[in-house]
Amino acid sequence: MFTFCWILLLFIKGAEVREFNLTGCLHKEPERIYHAITDEEFILECVLPSQHRIHMYNNSFLYKSNVLWFWQQKDGEPLKIISSKSTNPTQEGNALWFRPIGINASGVYICMIREEIPCLSNVIKVQAKNNTNCSDNGRNELSLLIEEGHSISCPGIHCYNHLQRSPVTWYKNGIRVMFKEIRSSLKLKDDTIYLRRTYEQDAGIYVCDYILFDNSIQWTMRRVVRVKIIARNTLHSPNILSPSGMKTLEVEIGKPLKIECKVFFGFESNFLPMITWYRDNKESKSEPLLQKPTRIRVEELEGKSFVHVATLREVTERDLNSNLICFAQNSVGNSTGVLKLKRKERALFIFILYGAIAVLVGLLLGSAFVYQHWIEIVLMYRNYLAKDETIGDRKEFDAFVSYAKQDSFERDSTFLNEEQFALEVLPEVLENKYGYKLCLLERDILPGGAYTDDIVTAIQQSRRAIIILSPGYVNGPSIFELQAAVNCALEDNMLKLILIKYKSFQEPESLPPIVKKALKILPVVTWKSSNSPNKQFWKYMRYHMPVKNTRGLGKNSVKFFFHRLFSMVINSRKATGRSQQTKK
Ligand SMILES: *[C@@H]1O[C@H](CO)[C@@H](O)[C@H](O)[C@H]1NC(C)=O
Ligand SMILES: *[C@@H]1O[C@H](CO)[C@@H](O)[C@H](O)[C@H]1NC(C)=O
Ligand SMILES: *[C@@H]1O[C@H](CO)[C@@H](O)[C@H](O)[C@H]1NC(C)=O
Ligand SMILES: *[C@@H]1O[C@H](CO)[C@@H](O)[C@H](O)[C@H]1NC(C)=O
Ligand SMILES: *[C@@H]1O[C@H](CO)[C@@H](O)[C@H](O)[C@H]1NC(C)=O
Ligand SMILES: *[C@@H]1O[C@H](CO)[C@@H](O)[C@H](O)[C@H]1NC(C)=O
């Protein structure tokens, strides 16, 4: 494919070449004879000669392939095409650029531009610099200090003072310098450009042309001058913009880290300033470099900021104890910026941890509160929210009370005995205060049938069986009532037993097994015989008694429940507060 294209290209070029009479072109008088000095830049343009042309060369001129260049080094040698890929000279627009021109570049150069220039012939004569018969050929690279007055003269022009010559034509960046219309700071005097005050835009490629008349030959002398505008070298050492002062960076151990150093360097024409990062460890004096120093070039007249980045593959404990130092140096001096690394607090993690602890503590406190006040909460719930469970169960009594009957001579008026407790204290509190209906055998059951039948009937008519346990009870005949109650409870879900430990007792061996089991399993409420109101006991009693007498406050009951619960929480907190104060 490539070969094919190449052949096609050659064919096309060949056709073009044949179109023009190259041999005829070669034998025509050359348009100009240029004089060039070795080892200098040289430009040969393909433009028809005209007195008024403004452009010397035009880099955007058509397409490169439309401009053809041929070269004949010596008379009688064949014409060689100059490839568009040639590196010296290079083809740029409609010009050939020699960078630089060598002694062997002398010869005849023929160019043609399709549909514009059929044939143009120029001759270049390259003269060795040491052979110019002139000690000073001038400089073709100028560095001019900005904002000062300068002059640009055509190099080596004085070497030809013995010859007649035309005035100098100046081109800047390929465009003819027209002194009349150019801004007033630029003056032309004695073929020299004078700049009263230089600006950055005065930089560029200047070309000067003049014609020497040597006997019958007209030489065109052409020299190229590259003008650079420079600033005065800075008087300041580099300015570290960041990290400035003592900067601290939060980092995570084990993570990679990129650190940036931003430094401003003033202009320096012949010095390459340097930036680097290093680690400064107080303990070990070694200063391992994090990255190789970077040499930079400041071409901007007003100076330039550079950013130098170093990468730590992972942050270590050692880095936390070191200073990371950005070091910048120019010809004036050096500056440093210090970066300290600090461990990053894992804020979110800690927040979550504390949150979790708070929730846990809250839960613990809440459950402790509920555990402590469970009975109250249940009672309050029953009081305000629960349904009356006695409705519709067709039972007559809330609780059957079973106790050991006392012989009259055993009666002791100083102590409250269990019969008095059963017949007086229980009804007084449970019936009068809380509205339960108790079943007391003597009081409520008309003796009709057999004693055992009466007992069973009474138990069946009750929702609870309250058993008042004492040594007299477990050893006496009343134990039968407990046995009957247990049997009834096994058949009837609605019946529950409440054991009251009225006096501590020894379990006799002779007890029926079912009673033994019941004593082990069933809830026991202990009566403490004291003069204090025994609030705890009644609370437990109410807890075990059926739900009854719900006030039925409807919608408001929920509100009341929570209101009471809330005031209970407040009260318990006040109480703990008070107890803490008293402890102090
Ligand atoms: C080319 O020009 C030369 C001289 O001008 C002439 O002798 C020659 O015949 C021309 N050739 C063609 C092909 O026109
Ligand atoms: C350069 O050549 C192009 C194409 O021929 C033209 O359009 C343009 O005006 C020229 N530029 C200059 C500065 O002469
Ligand atoms: C110039 O050309 C000659 C032969 O034409 C060659 O021997 C010589 O090395 C060349 N010199 C340079 C500097 O190219
Ligand atoms: C100029 O320098 C070249 C080598 O660069 C040398 O061959 C030549 O002889 C010198 N000519 C003169 C006149 O010094
Ligand atoms: C050098 O200068 C002398 C006289 O100044 C002159 O005779 C000679 O021809 C000159 N040579 C060249 C190569 O210009
Ligand atoms: C940096 O500058 C100070 C003076 O300002 C000098 O003493 C020191 O040696 C310099 N450091 C380096 C590494 O050049």
Side-chain angles (χ1 to χ4, degrees):
M1 185 66 192
F2 179 77
T3 327
F4 173 76
C5 287
W6 183 237
I7 288 167
L8 191 70
L9 194 71
L10 275 184
F11 177 76
I12 292 166
K13 288 218 165 158
E16 280 171 2
V17 171
R18 252 180 273 121
E19 222 171 89
F20 308 104
N21 189 342
L22 271 179
T23 328
C25 196
L26 203 55
H27 292 128
K28 264 204 310 196
E29 273 300 298
E31 209 57 59
R32 283 183 177 189
I33 302 169
Y34 287 102
H35 214 94
I37 308 280
T38 48
D39 303 325
E40 283 190 4
E41 197 169 349
F42 192 83
I43 304 163
L44 179 64
E45 75 278 27
C46 185
V47 174
L48 285 177
S50 147
Q51 287 260 300
H52 309 290
R53 71 181 175 132
I54 291 169
H55 293 104
M56 180 183 183
Y57 55 84
N58 181 348
N59 281 346
S60 55
F61 193 88
L62 297 172
Y63 299 105
K64 217 192 257 179
S65 60
N66 284 334
V67 185
L68 291 175
W69 285 96
F70 301 91
W71 176 47
Q72 186 191 44
Q73 195 168 20
K74 287 199 182 87
D75 247 359
E77 283 190 3
L79 269 179
K80 283 183 256 176
I81 188 159
I82 296 173
S83 157
S84 60
K85 293 188 183 79
S86 156
T87 50
N88 192 16
T90 53
Q91 290 188 29
E92 291 172 29
N94 63 333
L96 276 186
W97 285 67
F98 299 83
R99 293 192 187 93
I101 195 160
I103 194 92
N104 283 1
S106 297
V108 182
Y109 288 83
I110 290 174
C111 71
M112 39 183 69
I113 299 177
R114 206 181 337 162
E115 287 162 18
E116 280 196 39
I117 300 171
C119 167
L120 193 71
S121 161
N122 287 295
V123 170
I124 301 178
K125 295 222 162 166
V126 186
Q127 193 178 17
K129 209 164 229 171
N130 59 0
N131 201 20
T132 52
N133 221 1
C134 189
S135 57
D136 182 14
N137 280 298
R139 292 161 56 209
N140 35 15
E141 289 206 348
L142 291 179
S143 292
L144 306 182
L145 205 53
I146 193 165
E147 292 175 354
E148 299 214 338
H150 292 283
S151 63
I152 306 168
S153 56
C154 196
I157 193 168
H158 61 273
C159 296
Y160 306 98
N161 281 346
H162 59 286
L163 295 177
Q164 197 193 346
R165 68 161 173 84
S166 73
V168 176
T169 309
W170 280 100
Y171 299 88
K172 183 190 167 192
N173 296 331
I175 298 168
R176 187 166 175 174
V177 179
M178 310 293 271
F179 292 93
K180 276 171 208 154
E181 42 188 277
I182 273 192
R183 58 165 212 272
S184 58
S185 76
L186 201 147
K187 288 259 157 57
L188 182 71
K189 201 177 151 204
D190 301 332
D191 299 320
T192 299
I193 296 175
Y194 289 91
L195 300 158
R196 221 188 305 156
R197 187 183 160 92
T198 44
Y199 298 91
E200 259 190 281
Q201 54 270 29
D202 290 324
I205 300 167
Y206 288 75
V207 175
C208 57
D209 277 2
Y210 55 90
I211 297 163
L212 286 175
F213 302 95
D214 190 8
N215 301 325
S216 56
I217 307 170
Q218 289 187 12
W219 301 92
T220 301
M221 278 304 297
R222 168 169 287 182
R223 302 289 296 268
V224 177
V225 185
R226 274 193 183 255
V227 173
K228 227 166 90 179
I229 304 296
I230 57 162
R232 216 178 280 282
N233 283 354
T234 181
L235 299 173
H236 305 285
S237 45
N239 181 12
I240 298 201
L241 305 172
S242 125
S244 65
M246 191 75 136
K247 206 180 155 197
T248 308
L249 197 68
E250 290 203 333
V251 293
E252 282 181 44
I253 297 279
K255 290 264 171 79
L257 179 68
K258 250 190 188 174
I259 46 178
E260 284 190 354
C261 183
K262 193 173 182 193
V263 187
F264 176 83
F265 291 94
F267 176 84
E268 277 182 294
S269 54
N270 294 311
F271 189 85
L272 297 183
M274 178 264 273
I275 323 182
T276 188
W277 272 105
Y278 66 88
R279 188 191 281 115
D280 184 13
N281 203 325
K282 277 159 214 153
E283 295 141 32
S284 58
K285 278 195 172 175
S286 65
E287 295 179 348
L289 293 170
L290 293 172
Q291 218 107 353
K292 282 199 178 123
T294 302
R295 290 256 166 213
I296 54 185
R297 182 183 291 278
V298 183
E299 283 172 328
E300 289 73 9
L301 304 183
E302 64 277 12
K304 195 181 176 191
S305 295
F306 287 88
V307 176
H308 181 59
V309 180
T311 312
L312 293 173
R313 250 190 298 148
E314 56 172 21
V315 176
T316 61
E317 288 287 343
R318 197 163 70 106
D319 295 320
L320 294 181
N321 299 322
S322 322
N323 287 336
L324 300 178
I325 294 179
C326 173
F327 178 84
Q329 190 173 41
N330 65 5
S331 64
V332 179
N334 62 61
S335 318
T336 51
V338 181
L339 190 65
K340 266 189 159 320
L341 300 185
K342 198 179 119 189
R343 196 189 302 273
K344 187 186 257 175
E345 294 297 339
R346 302 197 171 180
L348 185 67
F349 171 74
I350 283 174
F351 179 77
I352 289 170
L353 188 74
Y354 284 156
I357 288 172
V359 168
L360 210 68
V361 167
L363 279 177
L364 277 176
L365 286 178
S367 34
F369 175 82
V370 168
Y371 177 76
Q372 209 179 357
H373 297 276
W374 177 245
I375 302 289
E376 284 95 329
I377 292 168
V378 168
L379 291 180
M380 264 163 49
Y381 169 77
R382 285 189 186 173
N383 204 10
Y384 292 106
L385 300 176
K387 276 192 183 148
D388 191 334
E389 69 177 48
T390 64
I391 294 167
D393 63 357
R394 294 195 198 143
K395 294 209 176 194
E396 195 180 349
F397 303 105
D398 288 311
F400 170 81
V401 180
S402 169
Y403 59 96
K405 282 82 190 169
Q406 307 285 311
D407 297 330
S408 50
F409 56 86
E410 279 176 27
R411 289 197 177 187
D412 183 351
S413 55
T414 51
F415 288 105
L416 185 67
N417 68 34
E418 54 213 90
E419 188 165 354
Q420 281 171 304
F421 175 74
L423 298 179
E424 291 164 25
V425 179
L426 276 185
E428 187 186 317
V429 178
L430 293 182
E431 292 195 324
N432 297 347
K433 196 163 171 193
Y434 294 116
Y436 289 110
K437 191 174 176 196
L438 298 181
C439 174
L440 300 168
L441 202 65
E442 283 85 349
R443 187 188 73 181
D444 299 315
I445 305 293
L446 289 176
Y451 162 72
T452 53
D453 291 347
D454 286 347
I455 295 289
V456 171
T457 312
I459 291 173
Q460 282 171 344
Q461 283 298 307
S462 302
R463 299 178 180 99
R464 299 286 185 270
I466 299 175
I467 315 293
I468 300 170
L469 296 171
S470 68
Y473 189 88
V474 292
N475 292 310
S478 305
I479 197 77
F480 162 75
E481 294 177 13
L482 174 56
Q483 196 181 349
V486 173
N487 285 329
C488 287
L490 289 176
E491 286 167 11
D492 179 2
N493 281 338
M494 297 300 292
L495 177 68
K496 290 184 182 92
L497 271 66
I498 306 171
L499 303 182
I500 296 177
K501 197 166 150 192
Y502 189 73
K503 276 177 194 163
S504 53
F505 57 91
Q506 282 281 320
E507 251 179 60
E509 286 299 310
S510 60
L511 283 183
I514 193 164
V515 172
K516 277 186 180 170
K517 274 179 193 158
L519 287 177
K520 254 181 220 144
I521 297 163
L522 292 174
V524 178
V525 186
T526 307
W527 170 260
K528 283 184 195 128
S529 51
S530 68
N531 292 332
S532 65
N534 220 342
K535 263 189 183 170
Q536 202 70 8
F537 173 82
W538 294 115
K539 214 158 70 186
Y540 282 117
M541 282 305 291
R542 282 174 64 205
Y543 176 65
H544 291 298
M545 289 298 281
V547 181
K548 211 179 170 183
N549 291 340
T550 302
R551 294 188 184 170
L553 293 170
K555 277 184 200 165
N556 282 344
S557 56
V558 177
K559 206 169 89 187
F560 273 99
F561 172 73
F562 282 107
H563 178 252
R564 285 297 301 271
L565 189 67
F566 181 70
S567 58
M568 196 165 81
V569 172
I570 296 291
N571 285 340
S572 77
R573 289 181 86 197
K574 271 186 194 161
T576 51
R578 238 179 284 128
S579 68
Q580 274 169 1
Q581 272 178 354
T582 50
K583 267 180 208 161
K584 279 178 193 169

